[in-house]
Amino acid sequence: MSLCSDMLQTDSLQFGFKDKIGTADVILTMKNRLLNITNRDSLVYFASLDIRKAFDRVNHFKLCNTLLDAKVPVIVVDVPCNWYSKLYCAVRWNSELSAQFTVFSGVRQGSCLSPARQYSMCL
């Protein structure tokens, strides 16, 4: 359970990043709705969006501005913005380590600020 889950509201139709809800729930819900619609001889238009890699592309500057535009209190926005402004990485290949470089996009995976059900990959 997330540390902040009592303060965060989600839609009942949100399936991602929730405890005890997954792909099978989405498939069952969609199947039931599609059957309901087609049984009434109605047309169904269906679109799917794969945002698996969306978290890898989150621009830190845009994230902070979006949170501020959404009227999230500055004291709350300051935490991830400060954290991400100091994000540096290096690549280890066998026993060699590259020079550090700044990371301007992506969210940290497996941290307390990451979505609860996001899978992390450690290199």
Side-chain angles (χ1 to χ4, degrees):
M1 186 56 66
S2 171
L3 184 65
C4 302
S5 61
D6 57 331
M7 293 182 243
L8 301 174
Q9 301 294 320
T10 60
D11 190 276
S12 62
L13 294 176
Q14 177 182 331
F15 293 90
F17 310 113
K18 286 179 140 179
D19 286 336
K20 300 180 181 127
I21 296 178
T23 309
D25 299 295
V26 176
I27 293 170
L28 181 62
T29 300
M30 287 301 300
K31 181 180 176 185
N32 288 338
R33 291 203 177 183
L34 290 171
L35 286 173
N36 187 323
I37 293 168
T38 55
N39 285 341
R40 291 183 288 153
D41 292 327
S42 295
L43 292 175
V44 176
Y45 298 96
F46 184 84
S48 176
L49 178 64
D50 182 0
I51 59 169
R52 246 183 304 210
K53 298 291 185 181
F55 290 104
D56 296 338
R57 292 178 172 82
V58 173
N59 179 287
H60 300 159
F61 181 75
K62 287 182 183 178
L63 171 65
C64 295
N65 282 336
T66 301
L67 291 171
L68 290 171
D69 290 346
K71 306 291 188 239
V72 174
V74 174
I75 195 165
V76 173
V77 175
D78 189 48
V79 173
C81 292
N82 189 352
W83 197 31
Y84 283 124
S85 70
K86 299 171 183 148
L87 184 57
Y88 299 94
C89 287
V91 176
R92 181 183 308 273
W93 184 263
N94 293 327
S95 61
E96 298 294 319
L97 191 63
S98 74
Q100 286 188 346
F101 55 92
T102 306
V103 178
F104 297 105
S105 64
V107 294
R108 293 183 179 195
Q109 298 180 16
S111 75
C112 61
L113 292 180
S114 299
R117 295 185 46 105
Q118 183 174 352
Y119 299 101
S120 62
M121 181 173 74
C122 300
L123 301 176

